Every structure is written in C-alpha cells, then in structure tokens.
Amino acid sequence: MATTVARASAPPGVRRSVRILGVRVDDVTEDETVLLADALIRAGGRHQVVTVNPEFVIEAGRNPVFAAALEGADLATPDGVGLLLAARYLGTPLRGRVTGVELTQRLAALSAQRGYRLFLLGAAPGVAQAAALALQRRYPGLIIAGTFAGSPDPRHEPFLRQLIVAAQPHILLVAYGHPRQDVWIARNQPYLNVPLAIGVGGVFDYLSGRVPRAPAWMRRAGLEWFYRLLRQPERWPRIVDAVPRFTWAVVTRGRRG
Ligand code: UDP
C-alpha cells in the first residue's frame, strides 16, 4: 500500500493539483482562477469549473456520476475551510480558498470589463433575477444574457438547453446545489455552446439578499459555515453527516495513494 499522498496531474494553466480522498483539487488562488476563467472563455470550446468542498468529497465517494463530473472538470477550485485544513494535514497545503460568492463577483466584474454575457440558472423563482440585478448594480455595464429558475429534473433539459443556446452566454452559473448542478452541467454542456459553466450552490440566495452573508470577521476567520448553520438550521443534517465523515476519512484514509 502506498504511503504517500496522491498528487493529481494538473490541468493546463494550473501549476499544481492535489487529491483529497481521490478528488482532484487545483491549488489556485482567486486571482489565478479569474485569469484562467478568462483564458478558457477566450479559448472557446466548453469548460466546466467545480468548487470543491468537504461535502463534495464525501458525495463523490458514494456517487460515481458526480465523481466523474468532478474529475472531468477543467478547473476544480478549493472551497471550504475544511478542505484547506485537510490539505495541510495531508502535507499538501493549498494556498487559499476560492469561495462561490467571491468568484461569482469577480467573474461579473470581468464580464463587465470584457463584454462577456452571464446566464443565471437555478434557485427559487425570482432569486436568479434579483441576483442578476444586484450584480448589474455593482458592476455597471454587465450584460445579463438571461435568468431562469427552472429545475434540475432531466425532463426539463430540452427546454433549458433551447433557452440557454438562444441566449448565447459566455458564462453559465448553475445554482441547483451539488451534486445535481455539477452533474447537470457535465450532461448538458455538450449541447449548450457555452465556453464556461460553473455550479454555484447557494450563491444567488446571497447575492439577492435572500440569505444574509456572515459578517466579514467571521468569513476571515473561516467561520462562514457556522454562520450558515445558525441562519439555515435545515443544513444541520447535511453538516452532521459530512463533517465527521470527512474528518474521519481524511485521518484514516487520506494518506493512501
Ligand atoms: N435549488 C434549486 N432547485 C432544486 C434544488 C436546489 O434551484 O431542485 C437551489 C436552491 O434554491 C439554492 C441552491 O440550489 O439556491 C442550493 O444551495 P446550497 O447552498 O444548498 O448548495 P450546495 O451547498 O448544496 O451546493
């Protein structure tokens, strides 16, 4: 049995990647992620970005379709303080976090600058639209190609594909929560003609103001997850399931190749 931590081969443009319980995580900072996203959009084709956190890693261990979507992603950013702690414990420290809200805001700023068109798919009815308006207020000139709540139900896919193809966005943000959003992108992107698609979880809820964000000091201290738990107690069962499993798995299995 190997005793060293597995290292993943990094995708183009990424200096270094690591594996945490088999899931590839790219050691990228927020600035690098924005530069890479810009390069991927300019390159054309189609690209998927996933924002990996401990819940993703646990889910990937029991959901091969989700694991394949993560493995196939062009960029896997490190989200979640637990992931950073695990990486450090395993001797493969990551340089920083790239959170969904900050990444979305940075991509909106980039889009306003470059004329990229953004499509916001998912969340409860009206939330994506409210999030888009908030982004446009903050980044004047930002072009919103479309917003739609829709559903991750495969029966809705033909309609959603048509809607997105007609809107011609450069960046598609999908907020159906993991694993559905990331699997949805992997399955549908071949039909969408969108250069960059990202699963963003609850980001529209925050941007729209529907769910308050943690105060800055809590975010700096890596305690945003705790604040989310206080504000959204329905998240408890998920966290109680994922955090001990993740910690135990990292300590007992994390160093195997
Ligand atoms: N959501 C949705 N349709 C669904 C399930 C979820 O639009 O069938 C949205 C939900 O309204 C929320 C987001 O997906 O905006 C999930 O956010 P969460 O923070 O739970 O994402 P996760 O952390 O699971 O990736």
Side-chain angles (χ1 to χ4, degrees):
M1 186 189 299
T3 52
T4 52
V5 177
R7 283 170 202 278
S9 57
V14 174
R15 271 195 299 177
R16 174 177 167 271
S17 301
V18 303
R19 281 198 184 276
I20 297 185
L21 299 171
V23 174
R24 190 192 95 228
V25 183
D26 301 328
D27 184 19
V28 283
T29 63
E30 201 176 282
D31 286 345
E32 288 168 3
T33 302
V34 175
L35 286 173
L36 281 164
D38 193 19
L40 292 174
I41 294 168
R42 283 159 176 262
R46 51 172 190 266
H47 308 277
Q48 179 169 7
V49 178
V50 294
T51 61
V52 182
N53 68 26
E55 282 183 76
F56 278 50
V57 174
I58 291 301
E59 179 63 23
R62 55 192 173 201
N63 180 341
V65 177
F66 183 50
L70 298 184
E71 191 62 32
D74 298 275
L75 190 59
T77 61
D79 193 356
V81 71
L83 204 69
L84 261 60
L85 291 173
R88 197 187 309 163
Y89 172 80
L90 296 172
T92 53
L94 294 161
R95 283 172 299 152
R97 293 176 67 191
V98 182
T99 70
V101 175
E102 265 84 24
L103 177 59
T104 302
Q105 287 171 334
R106 294 286 303 270
L107 290 177
L110 174 78
S111 299
Q113 193 190 338
R114 293 250 195 264
Y116 295 153
R117 298 154 59 84
L118 230 59
F119 195 110
L120 284 69
L121 177 69
V127 173
Q129 194 181 6
L133 285 173
L135 287 174
Q136 279 182 314
R137 267 196 300 275
R138 188 158 172 179
Y139 306 103
L142 173 65
I143 304 167
I144 299 296
T147 65
F148 196 69
S151 157
D153 184 330
R155 285 172 300 182
H156 296 229
E157 287 178 11
F159 171 72
L160 292 180
R161 284 179 192 170
Q162 277 182 25
L163 189 73
I164 294 163
V165 167
Q168 298 186 321
H170 296 88
I171 303 178
L172 171 66
L173 305 174
V174 183
Y176 286 144
H178 79 284
R180 277 176 289 197
Q181 61 194 15
D182 309 282
V183 170
W184 192 97
I185 292 171
R187 196 170 53 229
N188 287 282
Q189 211 181 9
Y191 309 96
L192 297 179
N193 199 23
V194 173
L196 195 72
I198 313 176
V200 293
V203 163
F204 300 167
D205 296 327
Y206 293 112
L207 294 178
S208 65
R210 194 168 177 254
V211 174
R213 273 199 95 185
W217 70 266
M218 279 186 112
R219 299 209 299 265
R220 276 196 300 273
L223 292 175
E224 188 158 18
W225 61 272
F226 184 61
Y227 185 83
R228 285 182 88 179
L229 271 185
L230 296 180
R231 300 299 303 220
Q232 297 172 282
E234 66 277 10
R235 297 181 78 88
W236 269 108
R238 283 169 48 171
I239 299 298
V240 166
D241 178 52
V243 172
R245 266 183 212 274
F246 180 72
T247 309
W248 179 250
V250 167
V251 170
T252 57
R253 295 192 278 116
R255 287 178 197 276
R256 287 184 211 158

